[in-house]
Amino acid sequence: MTDDRQLSFWAWGYEDKLPDDDERRELAARIEGMLGFPERPVMEYPTLDDIDIPDSRIDVPEELAEFVTTDRRARASHTYGKGYRDLVRGFHGDFSKAPDIVAMPRDESDVEAVIEWATADGVAVVPFGGGTSVVAGIECDGDGYAGVCSLDMREMDAVLEVDDHSRSAKIQAGATGPEIQDQLREYGLQLRHYPQSYEFSTFGGWVATRAGGHFATRYTHIDDFVESVRAVTPAGTLETRRLPASGAGPDPNRFLLGSEGAFGVITEGWTRVQPRPPHRARATMYFDDYWDAVEATRDIVQARLYPANCRLLDSNEAMLNELAFDGSHLLVLGFESTDHPVDDDLERAMALAEAHGGTCPEGPTIEDRSADNGESDTDRSDSSEGSWRDSFIEAPYMFNSLVSMGVLVDTFETAVTWEKFPDLHEALQENVVGAMEDECGAGFLSCRFTHVYEDGPAPYYTLLAPAEVGRELEQWNVIKQAASDTLMEYGATITHHHAVGRVHREHYHEEVPDGYLDALRSMKRTLDPDGIMNPGVLL
């Protein structure tokens, strides 16, 4: 079910969606005017002929030849994820860490065959879903190994079984968001999990990285949907029992959720699904004062209204997404139900926001799609919420352009208690913007809440700075370190939903107890005794 359009070998998304020179010049002028950056160059995109990619160190095994390749484009496309460091290296043609071979298994027996061969020959195996990691989760130089095999799961993309009575489905690991929705549509069901990478990321990738999704409250991570997981490891196949819940000891699913391929390859899993919600209500609240907006958000989530959407955009984020240019902070609210109207819940949330000075100039929008069974997958509209969602999904394409014009652009996310958030936020403003100004001469930082909990928010920061071409990674390292160190200092998590990978490994080890890391190492030795599975992530 793979899309016939060609994905870029270095950038986010499809090649035919890369902005052209005129569009990039327009964006450069907008960035220069909006953020006061110095004039930015508009550099040529790389071609496949431009890149530096080493010869493969290993030959394709005869027994795997039907689904394994050393094709140049395939190896380049599987070298990096889609973080800033990845885009910069790809843009400048550095593919020195390309995998030696790329395997695209058609079924679980192919996965087993790859792992058996790799174990015998000392080859590192890197599971690959949509390739959208921003924490170097799929980047492996293979030091100490005979070579590196990128194990691309996207041929295994089927919804294998649907239990509509229990509202759950068994899904193969390589199915992308749109592929899952397309296959569930005939049952009138869907998996309402919409990470920003939804178009390209896969079910197995979501499970392996504990991805955050559509719901801002209650069902915030893929964890909240998973019933059971099946994975192939060098020590054999693991499959957890499909259950709605269990109190029988530590949850075995937890060793695979967030494991990032360090123990084995997730091949399929059962997950909770639901009918498409025909009842929806939404509104965008405007605030003059940011901390009033923060308190309104806290009141709403602690009232246990459980909005599906409860995203607070500070004025910089609102401006960056071209939603407000007057300094307003926007709280985007949305409720949905498969069973009943949610007007009252929205009305109560708006009242709580209004008590903190919020206004709703556009007014609320109430929808009842019972007649068409809520057939629309997502809420597209001309409202601020609809405009923000469009901008949210398309934003990574803008990152491609910004990298090509010497703009340092990255994101980081976290979660922290409400009590600690003000001090953390102020420290990040000082330390991260300060690091950008020191390294790049200027800097811009915006914040939005992607998810909110009764005890604290999950703030997501976007940073932009004028980079010096040729020194981008050096500058990025300093700025990233300032952000990560600040998160640790103020008791926040190093990552709320971007996973650990290799980028966050140092600070992840600060966050969790040493004894827990020892337990993970023990699990690694048990399931992967030769250490071939995605070496370098987590541990």
Side-chain angles (χ1 to χ4, degrees), residues 226-255:
V226 169
E227 286 184 330
S228 69
V229 182
R230 182 177 173 89
V232 175
T233 81
T237 299
L238 287 179
E239 184 170 17
T240 63
R241 178 170 291 190
R242 180 187 166 210
L243 294 167
S246 172
D251 185 352
N253 285 319
R254 292 289 171 177
F255 284 114

Side-chain angles (χ1 to χ4, degrees), residues 48-62:
L48 199 60
D49 293 334
D50 297 330
I51 70 172
D52 173 26
I53 186 167
D55 294 334
S56 177
R57 293 171 291 177
I58 51 180
D59 297 323
V60 175
E62 184 177 347

Side-chain angles (χ1 to χ4, degrees), residues 301-355:
V301 69
Q302 289 184 345
R304 296 193 171 185
L305 294 172
Y306 301 123
N309 200 357
C310 187
R311 288 175 168 82
L312 174 60
L313 285 63
D314 75 1
S315 58
N316 280 354
E317 184 79 8
M319 180 181 69
L320 193 64
N321 288 280
E322 300 184 306
L323 299 177
F325 295 94
D326 61 356
S328 294
H329 312 280
L330 275 54
L331 176 58
V332 180
L333 294 169
F335 291 83
E336 61 182 46
S337 172
T338 61
D339 176 70
H340 59 275
V342 286
D343 316 22
D344 291 346
D345 290 335
L346 177 63
E347 182 179 348
R348 179 58 188 147
M350 291 177 67
L352 289 170
E354 289 166 354

Side-chain angles (χ1 to χ4, degrees), residues 498-509:
H498 278 173
V500 175
R502 294 165 178 84
V503 169
H504 290 153
R505 186 178 58 204
E506 171 193 342
H507 291 88
Y508 170 66
H509 286 195

